[in-house]
């Protein structure tokens, strides 16, 4: 009996051996690789080794372009979810898209950042790493999320402390 890819991936995380990648999964990963390249790296900048993609060009349209870019990036995330990628890896991929979307809203700087960040390429690399080494990728993504959580908590604590100092200074 052949199990759906999501169940097979879950079995790997429980310590069972994963069967070979199906033809459909391989083709989907190839399509997602092409989409990531098209969105992030398909246009070489003459005289440099840098590339940009359609995502950076679309992002030049204020607000709407950034929404379209995030929607295109979210497609890769949705397909990874359908393939059965673990929650920690999906969260890491969502973080890449969120950073791209939030900073991308800033005029000009956001577009330059978007061209350099290349969230789609990062996410497809994560997806490929998961397909090749699910345990290692899952563990690395959990560590990343733990460190991100600690950093956010430290940031909010610092903001709270600075707010306290500001109010104390204003009231004295």
């Amino acid at each position: 009996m052949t199990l759906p890819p999501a169940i097979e991936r879950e079995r790997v995380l429980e310590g069972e051996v994963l069967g070979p990648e199906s033809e459909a999964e391989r083709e989907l990963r190839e399509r997602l690789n092409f989409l990531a390249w098209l969105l992030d790296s398909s246009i070489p900048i003459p005289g440099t080794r840098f590339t940009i993609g359609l995502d950076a060009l679309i992002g030049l349209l204020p607000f709407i372009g950034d929404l379209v870019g995030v929607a295109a990036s979210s497609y890769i995330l949705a397909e990874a979810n359908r393939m059965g990628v673990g929650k920690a890896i999906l969260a890491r991929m969502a973080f890449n898209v969120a950073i791209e979307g939030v900073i991308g809203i800033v005029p000009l700087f956001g577009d330059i950042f978007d061209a350099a960040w290349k969230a789609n390429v990062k996410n497809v690399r994560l997806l490929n790493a998961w397909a090749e080494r699910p345990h290692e990728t899952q563990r690395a993504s959990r560590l990343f999320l733990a460190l991100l959580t600690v950093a956010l908590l430290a940031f909010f604590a610092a903001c709270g402390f600075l707010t306290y100092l500001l109010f104390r200074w204003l009231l004295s």
Side-chain angles (χ1 to χ4, degrees), residues 91-109:
R92 192 169 170 186
M93 293 170 87
F95 172 79
N96 289 335
V97 174
I99 291 292
E100 176 183 75
V102 170
I103 296 177
I105 291 174
V106 178
L108 193 60
F109 172 76

Side-chain angles (χ1 to χ4, degrees), residues 93-149:
M93 293 170 87
F95 172 79
N96 289 335
V97 174
I99 291 292
E100 176 183 75
V102 170
I103 296 177
I105 291 174
V106 178
L108 193 60
F109 172 76
D111 299 315
I112 294 169
F113 178 83
D114 185 29
W117 182 251
K118 300 184 185 299
N120 301 303
V121 169
K122 289 177 189 272
N123 287 345
V124 168
R125 282 186 190 144
L126 277 171
L127 179 62
N128 290 333
W130 169 79
E132 294 167 11
R133 299 173 314 280
H135 290 295
E136 293 171 29
T137 308
Q138 187 77 10
R139 190 172 31 253
S141 293
R142 283 187 185 132
L143 178 62
F144 172 82
L145 291 176
L147 292 175
L148 179 62
T149 301

Side-chain angles (χ1 to χ4, degrees), residues 13-27:
L13 296 177
E14 294 171 359
E16 294 184 36
V17 177
L18 176 67
E21 182 178 46
S22 73
E23 184 67 24
E25 285 178 321
R26 189 187 58 72
E27 288 175 3

Side-chain angles (χ1 to χ4, degrees), residues 59-120:
L60 292 173
L61 297 170
F63 192 67
I64 300 296
D66 296 311
L67 286 177
V68 170
V70 167
S73 297
S74 296
Y75 173 74
I76 294 172
L77 191 62
E79 288 297 328
N81 184 44
R82 277 190 215 100
M83 288 179 73
V85 171
K87 290 178 182 158
I89 299 168
L90 289 173
R92 192 169 170 186
M93 293 170 87
F95 172 79
N96 289 335
V97 174
I99 291 292
E100 176 183 75
V102 170
I103 296 177
I105 291 174
V106 178
L108 193 60
F109 172 76
D111 299 315
I112 294 169
F113 178 83
D114 185 29
W117 182 251
K118 300 184 185 299
N120 301 303

